[in-house]
């Protein structure tokens, strides 16, 4: 294969993809009579008009565009001729310099122009129209861009996009290349979106040995993080060594040796007993230990109120014209008599009634009650049901900033500055992972009563841990299990079928009620067509609501009935392209003004504003995984998008941040936890065994407030009910609670 090498000046840029650096451009002044002006195509990140560039590639004769160079490698330098310098500056690459100013600068300083801008920018103020402040600013921008260009060129050859190059520069500044060259695995630890595999690819090209300590440590952290993303707090030593060995394709011996060192350095924790060896990321070990100890300390608070509340409960029931069932009375009394109480039960078992009673009895005695939930939607539901202010746990704790060393959030409320309340009630607690529970309990002062409310049959948290279930199974914390379905709830087929499913009984799919329908379909295309009809016309007419009030919930992300495919279909039906709607394409997804979207990553530093009547009434930080909103504005010139979330939070996303969003006409059942929708549609045909489970079906069905529709095959529904498979999570919270209770 014959390679061609040319050097010249970038004369024009026909096309440039910011996401991957692919571009089409023309170079001139090559000094080669045959290719004095040459079209080039390839990946050349952050290219700019006027740049001097050396290229190596293969000449091809394109059927439409003629001879062009397919670039395989490149090297960029600062412009060297006066013509190149003027062209470069005139391109607008430096804010504040246009063609006329560029010509004046080059005329004044000649061949020394670029050196002046970099090292003596104040001299630009010698020219009329350039202030000293502007001159210094131009110099600073030039130096920053030089750093960016060098970094983008360096990491671009390893497949890292310009978007991530910006994040790398923000993290490491002028030390970026040195950090990456020394230990590329730092990227996997520090830059969200650059994973182990990309870092490992860079390491291999740089020449880091396969059994390098850097590589082994990174592999251990990667495997533990993958485990955590699957809900596990730890991995058994033998399993972890095997996974790392397979990942790195090396023998197990050096892996065990590095683990010992990482334990000594406090990167990981190895819990050894004669029976087992478990390996944790250190902060997960500390989190479980802290939560267990704090729960026991809170539960040990002496509150001998038994028998004091019977009359008060009777009076409350009389004043409200209701009758408390025995389970409810027990829950209320236990809440007033214990430092920590868990109230668990399915839909229609009266959890909200109990919470309201606890609030009223507590406030009558002059106690302050605080309500919180893991998500904004769950908090909003709690507030609507109780008439009392409720907020997210994150907002209650007050997120301050990301810890740069750990990429984890820190909070204003903690042991030194606890939440000021007498009773803390947490709803939808099945969603709370171990790290959030630790942060919450750190902010709870001894003497505060904690009431944990949730449905233990819901899916566990997205994050690591199985907190609610572990607390219940420990047997050391008081639990009230609600089983009775109340008369009003008995009229709902959603609730009746949900409880049937939870018990392992097949729902009656032949009987359609007022709030539950089953529509038999065996063909994927037919299901998709029916989804469009239901979402756009039939259900909005039936419920007198908007199409966006209807939520499609699917078990999986991929395949024909997965989130990606269904979102594309529903977007076309609900919010099709229009000349007055701006768009932004990211990879294979089109974001359009008016689209329904969901945040898919916690971002504790994302700024939001509450705007009413064009006035900012409140502002703060933090947009979280599962938050839903609508795209209200896309500015392709300024490269940002505006999204309005629940509670009218207005957020600006730079285009580089759009990987934190996805369309949400359809979402996975996992992502729907803690949310409630007017209507839910579940397309169920087939899917992976590990996803098509009883508690997934139960969780999806119980997200519906007014109407649930299942579309698909009855065999699939029955199979999910019969599949009571629960993927075991490696957690030790229950064990630790028992241990602390004995102390």
């Amino acid at each position: 294969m014959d390679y061609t090498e040319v050097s010249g000046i970038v004369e024009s840029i026909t096309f440039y993809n910011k996401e991957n650096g692919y571009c089409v451009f023309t170079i001139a002044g090559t000094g080669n009579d045959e290719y004095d002006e040459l079209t080039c195509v390839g990946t050349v990140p952050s290219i700019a008009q006027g740049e001097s560039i050396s290229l190596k590639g293969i000449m091809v004769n394109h059927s439409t565009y003629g001879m062009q160079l397919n670039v395989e490698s490149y090297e960029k330098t600062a412009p060297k001729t006066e013509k190149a310098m003027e062209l470069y500056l005139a391109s607008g690459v430096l804010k504040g310099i246009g063609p006329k100013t560029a010509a004046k600068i080059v005329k004044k300083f000649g061949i020394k122009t670029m050196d002046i801008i970099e090292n003596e920018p104040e001299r630009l103020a010698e020219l009329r129209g350039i202030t000293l402040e502007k001159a210094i600013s131009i110099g600073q921008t030039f130096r920053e861009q030089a750093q960016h260009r060098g970094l983008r060129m360096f990491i671009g050859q390893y497949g890292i996009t310009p978007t991530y190059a910006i994040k790398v520069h923000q993290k490491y500044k002028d030390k970026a290349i040195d950090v990456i060259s020394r230990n590329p695995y730092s990227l996997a630890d520090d830059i969200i979106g650059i994973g182990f595999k990309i870092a490992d690819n860079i390491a291999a090209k740089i020449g880091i040995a396969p059994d390098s300590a850097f590589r082994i440590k990174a592999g251990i952290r990667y495997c533990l993080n993958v485990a955590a993303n699957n809900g596990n707090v730890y991995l058994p030593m033998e399993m972890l060594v095997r996974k790392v060995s397979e990942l790195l394709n090396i023998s197990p011996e050096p892996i065990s040796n590095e683990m010992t060192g990482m334990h000594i350095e406090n990167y990981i924790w190895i819990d050894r007993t004669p029976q087992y060896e478990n390996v944790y990321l250190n902060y997960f070990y500390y989190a479980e230990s802290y939560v267990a100890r704090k729960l026991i300390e809170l539960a040990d608070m002496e509150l001998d109120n038994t028998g004091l509340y019977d009359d008060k409960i009777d009076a409350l029931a009389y004043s409200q014209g209701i009758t408390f069932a025995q389970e409810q009375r027990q829950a209320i009394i236990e809440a007033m008599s214990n430092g920590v109480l868990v109230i668990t039960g399915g839909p229609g078992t009266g959890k909200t009634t109990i919470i309201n009673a606890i609030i009223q009895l507590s406030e009558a005695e002059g106690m302050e009650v605080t309500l919180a939930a893991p998500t904004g939607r769950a908090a909003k539901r709690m507030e609507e049901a109780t008439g009392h202010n409720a907020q997210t746990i994150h907002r209650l704790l007050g997120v301050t900033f990301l810890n740069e060393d750990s990429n984890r959030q820190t909070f204003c409320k903690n042991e030194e500055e606890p939440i000021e309340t007498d009773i803390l009630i947490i709803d939808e607690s099945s969603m709370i992972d171990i790290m959030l529970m630790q942060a919450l309990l750190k902010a709870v002062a001894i003497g505060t009563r904690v009431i944990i409310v949730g449905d233990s049959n819901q899916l566990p948290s997205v994050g690591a841990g199985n907190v609610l279930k572990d607390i219940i199974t420990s047997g050391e914390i008081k639990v009230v299990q609600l089983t009775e379905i109340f008369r009003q709830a008995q009229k709902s087929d959603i609730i009746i079928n949900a409880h049937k499913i939870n018990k392992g009984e097949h729902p009656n799919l032949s009987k359609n009620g007022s709030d539950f329908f089953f529509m038999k379909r065996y063909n994927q295309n037919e299901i998709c067509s029916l989804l469009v009809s239901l979402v756009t016309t039939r259900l909005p007419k039936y419920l007198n609501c908007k199409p966006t009030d209807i939520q499609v919930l699917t078990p999986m992300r991929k395949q024909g009935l997965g989130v990606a495919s269904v979102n594309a279909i529903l977007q076309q039906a609900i919010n099709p392209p229009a000349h007055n709607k701006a768009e932004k394409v990211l990879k294979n997804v089109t974001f359009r003004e008016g689209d329904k979207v969901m945040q898919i990553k916690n971002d504790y530093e994302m700024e939001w504003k509450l705007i009413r009547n064009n006035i900012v009434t409140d502002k703060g930080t933090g947009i979280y995984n599962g938050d839903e909103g609508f795209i209200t504005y896309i500015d392709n010139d300024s490269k940002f998008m505006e999204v309005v979330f629940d509670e009218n939070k207005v957020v600006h996303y730079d285009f580089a941040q759009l990987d934190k969003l996805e369309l949400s006409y359809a979402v996975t059942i996992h992502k729907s936890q803690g949310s409630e929708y007017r209507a839910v549609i579940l397309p169920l045909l087939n899917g992976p065994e590990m996803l098509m489970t009883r508690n997934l079906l139960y969780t999806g069905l119980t997200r519906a407030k007014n109407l649930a529709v299942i579309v698909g095959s009855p065999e699939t529904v029955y199979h999910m009910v019969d599949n009571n498979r629960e993927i075991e999570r490696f957690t030790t919270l229950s064990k630790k609670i028992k241990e602390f209770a004995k102390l």
Side-chain angles (χ1 to χ4, degrees), residues 10-17 22-27 38-41 47 49 65 68:
V10 178
E11 188 173 61
S12 62
I13 301 170
T14 308
F15 172 81
Y16 182 70
N17 186 327
Y22 181 83
C23 54
V24 180
F25 59 99
T26 302
I27 63 169
L38 181 63
T39 298
C40 308
V41 297
I47 193 171
Q49 190 179 7
Y65 303 108
Q68 57 185 33

Side-chain angles (χ1 to χ4, degrees), residues 99-390:
K100 290 183 179 179
T101 306
K104 288 196 294 183
I105 292 172
V106 175
K107 185 177 180 181
K108 170 77 174 174
F109 299 110
I111 201 70
K112 294 182 179 179
T113 294
M114 306 314 291
D115 183 60
I116 294 289
I117 292 174
E118 183 173 9
N119 300 307
E120 299 178 85
E122 65 276 4
R123 290 194 59 191
L124 296 176
E126 297 173 11
L127 293 167
R128 183 180 295 178
I130 299 180
T131 64
L132 181 60
E133 183 182 9
K134 182 178 178 180
I136 293 171
S137 175
I138 289 170
Q140 183 179 349
T141 301
F142 180 79
R143 288 190 295 274
E144 287 176 355
Q145 288 187 354
Q147 289 177 6
H148 276 142
R149 282 195 298 274
L151 177 61
R152 289 173 184 175
M153 287 174 62
F154 177 75
I155 66 177
Q157 60 188 313
Y158 304 118
I160 297 177
T161 66
T163 298
Y164 283 113
I166 295 170
K167 295 180 180 180
V168 172
H169 186 266
Q170 289 172 340
K171 175 67 180 178
Y172 303 126
K173 305 295 189 292
D174 58 344
K175 298 178 181 176
I177 293 176
D178 181 58
V179 169
I180 297 167
S181 300
R182 191 163 23 89
N183 180 14
Y185 297 102
S186 301
L187 293 169
D189 294 334
D190 298 333
I191 311 298
I192 297 172
I194 298 180
F196 170 82
K197 292 182 180 178
I198 293 175
D200 199 42
N201 178 50
I202 296 172
K205 290 180 178 178
I206 288 175
I208 290 177
D211 60 351
S212 145
F214 285 138
R215 187 167 187 254
I216 294 172
K217 289 176 179 177
I220 292 168
R221 289 194 299 272
Y222 173 75
C223 288
L224 287 172
N225 275 311
V226 169
N229 290 336
N230 291 324
N232 300 296
V233 173
Y234 73 90
L235 284 179
M237 171 73 79
E238 185 179 345
M239 181 184 292
L240 176 59
V241 170
R242 185 178 71 252
K243 286 180 179 291
V244 177
S245 178
E246 291 171 354
L247 174 72
L248 305 182
N249 195 27
I250 62 173
S251 65
E253 288 76 19
I255 299 170
S256 299
N257 293 336
E258 290 299 338
M259 280 190 194
T260 301
M262 291 174 75
H263 178 67
I264 294 169
E265 295 167 359
N266 205 30
Y267 287 114
I268 63 173
W269 186 273
I270 304 176
D271 188 14
R272 287 190 175 98
T273 74
Q275 291 76 38
Y276 59 78
E277 285 185 296
N278 297 331
V279 186
Y280 305 71
L281 290 167
N282 62 336
Y283 44 84
F284 284 136
Y285 179 83
Y286 298 141
E288 278 201 332
S289 299
Y290 184 92
V291 169
R293 178 175 60 79
K294 189 64 174 285
L295 283 171
I296 294 301
E297 288 178 356
L298 291 166
D300 283 345
M301 181 173 56
E302 294 185 7
L303 291 169
D304 189 15
N305 295 326
T306 306
L308 298 181
Y309 283 94
D310 280 329
D311 291 342
K312 295 177 181 178
I313 293 171
D314 288 339
L316 180 62
Y318 180 79
S319 67
Q320 295 189 350
I322 60 175
T323 302
F324 292 113
Q326 187 55 44
E327 287 179 346
Q328 292 178 310
R329 292 182 71 93
Q330 182 196 356
I332 297 165
I333 291 171
E334 297 292 358
M336 309 305 290
S337 309
N338 288 274
V340 182
L341 174 68
V342 175
I343 302 173
T344 182
T349 55
K351 295 190 294 293
T352 300
T353 301
I354 294 167
I355 292 172
N356 278 322
I358 294 168
I359 293 171
Q360 293 177 64
L361 290 174
S362 301
E363 290 184 341
E365 297 191 2
M367 290 187 284
E368 184 175 352
V369 182
T370 298
L371 309 182
T375 67
R377 284 186 168 243
K380 187 177 180 182
R381 285 170 51 204
M382 198 180 188
E383 187 168 298
E384 290 171 350
T386 63
H388 282 67
N389 178 57

Side-chain angles (χ1 to χ4, degrees), residues 446-668:
I446 299 298
T448 301
R449 302 179 196 181
V450 179
I451 300 169
I452 301 168
V453 184
D455 184 350
S456 59
N457 292 306
Q458 296 281 352
L459 293 169
S461 60
V462 174
N466 202 351
V467 174
L468 178 62
K469 192 161 283 187
D470 281 353
I471 293 173
I472 294 171
T473 57
S474 74
E476 300 294 341
I477 303 298
K478 191 69 180 180
V479 177
V480 176
Q481 177 76 52
L482 304 174
T483 57
E484 184 179 347
I485 305 174
F486 289 93
R487 187 178 301 168
Q488 187 174 357
Q490 289 175 359
K491 299 175 184 177
S492 167
D493 286 310
I494 294 173
I495 292 174
I496 291 170
N497 284 322
H499 282 274
K500 277 188 174 183
I501 290 166
N502 193 36
K503 293 175 185 176
E505 300 173 9
H506 291 178
N508 185 354
L509 301 181
S510 61
K511 173 182 173 286
N512 288 326
S514 61
D515 65 351
F516 177 88
F517 295 89
F518 175 76
M519 307 180 80
K520 188 189 297 184
R521 296 291 189 280
Y522 286 97
N523 179 278
Q524 181 179 294
N525 292 333
E526 289 179 359
I527 291 175
C528 289
S529 177
L530 182 55
L531 287 179
V532 170
S533 174
L534 288 169
V535 171
T536 57
T537 55
R538 295 169 67 172
L539 296 190
K541 185 177 179 181
Y542 183 74
L543 291 174
N544 190 28
C545 67
K546 297 178 292 186
T548 49
D549 291 330
I550 299 157
Q551 187 63 59
V552 176
L553 302 179
T554 172
M556 59 214 137
R557 296 195 58 80
K558 299 179 180 179
Q559 301 183 11
L561 293 177
V563 165
S565 301
V566 176
N567 264 322
I569 293 167
L570 292 178
Q571 181 192 43
Q572 182 63 32
I574 297 171
N575 189 35
H579 71 277
N580 61 338
K581 294 180 183 177
E583 298 180 352
K584 168 61 181 172
V585 179
L586 180 69
K587 298 179 180 176
N588 297 321
V589 178
T590 299
F591 291 107
R592 185 174 298 128
E593 289 175 351
D595 274 336
K596 184 179 176 184
V597 292
M598 175 180 282
Q599 177 86 2
I600 58 172
K601 299 176 183 177
N602 287 335
D603 190 325
Y604 308 102
E605 292 188 313
M606 182 71 80
E607 296 180 352
W608 53 261
K609 297 177 180 178
L610 295 185
I611 302 175
R612 293 188 175 89
N613 299 322
N614 295 320
I615 299 172
V616 177
T617 59
D618 194 11
K619 57 184 179 181
T621 59
I623 300 295
Y624 305 109
N625 187 357
D627 287 353
E628 286 192 281
F630 290 88
I631 300 171
T632 53
Y633 182 64
I634 297 175
D635 190 325
N636 282 298
D637 293 328
S638 300
K639 296 179 172 49
F640 78 89
M641 187 163 82
E642 183 183 89
V643 179
V644 178
F645 288 94
D646 289 341
E647 304 173 322
N648 292 315
K649 290 179 179 177
V650 179
V651 179
H652 280 202
Y653 288 81
D654 292 335
F655 282 175
Q657 298 172 302
L658 295 186
D659 59 344
K660 300 172 185 177
L661 290 172
E662 66 180 19
L663 298 175
S664 64
Y665 299 103
V667 301
T668 63

